[in-house]
Structure formats: structure tokens, C-alpha cells
């Protein structure tokens, strides 16, 4: 039992409102590579910032989907891991109010978390760029035309409801995330390097409103100096250890 885990448990017990903020690191144990780590899986030979870009979707949807279609297939087969389940259990126990996530993989909800704010969108649905018709994930695959472009019945291209490079984050989700962080006594950051704005600004929102920040992630973050607790181990091991002492 590390002193850090003990301290985090204490913070959770004292906190009236705790919110989790998660990033790619929590889904790595589910077999989803963090695309910002070089040399991992599907991302090895592609620069996602170049292909998963709104301009590519609009100007060359075939190229966009040639990258995104296998990614969709890969993501939809994945299952939540014990770190996702730990957060769902904390919500169930009334310890955690909500999860704000940068992940699009739906694994928090698959794990049983109910109050989830997906600030980068989700693979769960796609929408026609032209007429805005929404399609659940399972109904997108049959929409592909011979050029490999998912097309709505109106002929417009269907875009996954995830935030692409070149797009703004969904305003409503960001407002929810901001409000949750402002009210939080404790913001528990898990598996995120806190480097991608505007999400990277959320710990400052909690701190400015008088709350504390705890960080459970491998590798450095810009908030390490301000964090009340900083755990650097594997996210699954750290959260399982936390559940045991709570
Ligand atoms: Zn349409």
C-alpha cells in the first residue's frame, strides 16, 4: 500500500463531489493504443492528425474512411477493463459524480458508468453531413458505397460523431465538463497526460474554484507540481489498490 493511494482514499472520503477526467491511458489495458505513442498498432504508418481531419472528410471522404473504417471496427470490438469498472463502481457507491472523458470508445458506459461526458464525441453514432440524419454504429457499415464512403440515403457523406482534427469540441459537452470541474472538490485525472486543450485546462478550473486535483497516469503532466496526489503506476493496479482501501 503506497502512501499516495492512502492519501487519495482519504481525499475521496473527504470530498463531497468528485469528478473523474480520463484520457487514452485508461483504454490502453483494453488493447486500444494511444495514438500519440509512436509505433503502436494501426497508427504506425499514418499520421492521424493528417487523416482524421475535417478537411480530409470534406474533400476526400474515401481517404478519410479508408483510415477510419478499420479503426471503427477495431474500437467497437473492445471491452472495458478493470480501471473503467473501478470508476463505474465508485459512481455506483456514490463516491464519484461523473466521468469526463476524451475517449470516443464508449468503454466507460459499457463498464456501467452512467454520468459520462464525452468531450471528443463517440463512435456510437454517425451523422449525415448534409441532412443530419443520425445512424447508430451498427447501421453505418451497410452505408458504404463502392468507393468506400459511408453515404446517407440522401446521398450525403456520413461523418462519425467524433471530434475530428480541425473541428471544435461540442459546446454542450464542454459546458457540462466545465460546470462539473468548477463544482468538484476533487478532480481525479486518470490516464491522461493533460496536454490537449481545452480539456487540459479543466484541472485549473477545479483548482481556481478551491478544489484539489489528483493524477493517476504514467508519465509527466503539466499539473504534477499542483496535484495533491500523483500516482505514476499502471492505471488498473492503482485503481484496484484504491478500491481495496476505500
Ligand atoms: Zn442525409
Amino acid at each position: 500500500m503506497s502512501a499516495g493511494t492512502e492519501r487519495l482514499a482519504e481525499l475521496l472520503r473527504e470530498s463531497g463531489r468528485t469528478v473523474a477526467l480520463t484520457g487514452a491511458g485508461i483504454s490502453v489495458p483494453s488493447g486500444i493504443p494511444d495514438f500519440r505513442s509512436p509505433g503502436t498498432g494501426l497508427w504506425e504508418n499514418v499520421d492521424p492528425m493528417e487523416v482524421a481531419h475535417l478537411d480530409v472528410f470534406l474533400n476526400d471522404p474515401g481517404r478519410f474512411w479508408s483510415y477510419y473504417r478499420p479503426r471503427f471496427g477495431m474500437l467497437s470490438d473492445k471491452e472495458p477493463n478493470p480501471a473503467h469498472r473501478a470508476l463505474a463502481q465508485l459512481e455506483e457507491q456514490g463516491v464519484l459524480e461523473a466521468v469526463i472523458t476524451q475517449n470516443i470508445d464508449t468503454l466507460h458506459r459499457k463498464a456501467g458508468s452512467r454520468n459520462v461526458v464525452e468531450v471528443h464525441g463517440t463512435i456510437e453514432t454517425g451523422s449525415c453531413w448534409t441532412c443530419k440524419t443520425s445512424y447508430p454504429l451498427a447501421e453505418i457499415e451497410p452505408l458504404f458505397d463502392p468507393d468506400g464512403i459511408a453515404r446517407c440515403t440522401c446521398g450525403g457523406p456520413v461523418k462519425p460523431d467524433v471530434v475530428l482534427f480541425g473541428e471544435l469540441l461540442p459546446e454542450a459537452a464542454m459546458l457540462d465538463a466545465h460546470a462539473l470541474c468548477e463544482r468538484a472538490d476533487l478532480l481525479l485525472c486518470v490516464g491522461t497526460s493533460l496536454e490537449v486543450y481545452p480539456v487540459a485546462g479543466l484541472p485549473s478550473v477545479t483548482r481556481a474554484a478551491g478544489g484539489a486535483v489528483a493524477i493517476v497516469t504514467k508519465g509527466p503532466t503539466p499539473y504534477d507540481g499542483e496535484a495533491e496526489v500523483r500516482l505514476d503506476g499502471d492505471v488498473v493496479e492503482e485503481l484496484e489498490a484504491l478500491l481495496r482501501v476505500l
Side-chain angles (χ1 to χ4, degrees), residues 127-133 135 151-158:
S127 301
C128 173
W129 188 257
T130 308
C131 76
K132 308 300 174 201
T133 297
Y135 294 91
R151 288 210 180 274
C152 175
T153 47
C154 84
V158 172

Side-chain angles (χ1 to χ4, degrees), residues 82-120:
H84 295 107
R85 286 195 285 273
L87 294 184
Q89 187 180 330
L90 290 175
E91 184 181 352
E92 179 72 31
Q93 293 169 346
V95 175
L96 188 67
E97 184 180 3
V99 177
I100 300 164
T101 187
Q102 295 167 281
N103 300 336
I104 59 170
D105 53 36
T106 72
L107 294 184
H108 282 298
R109 280 182 289 122
K110 274 190 186 171
S113 287
R114 283 183 299 256
N115 195 4
V116 182
V117 180
E118 293 162 312
V119 290
H120 287 180

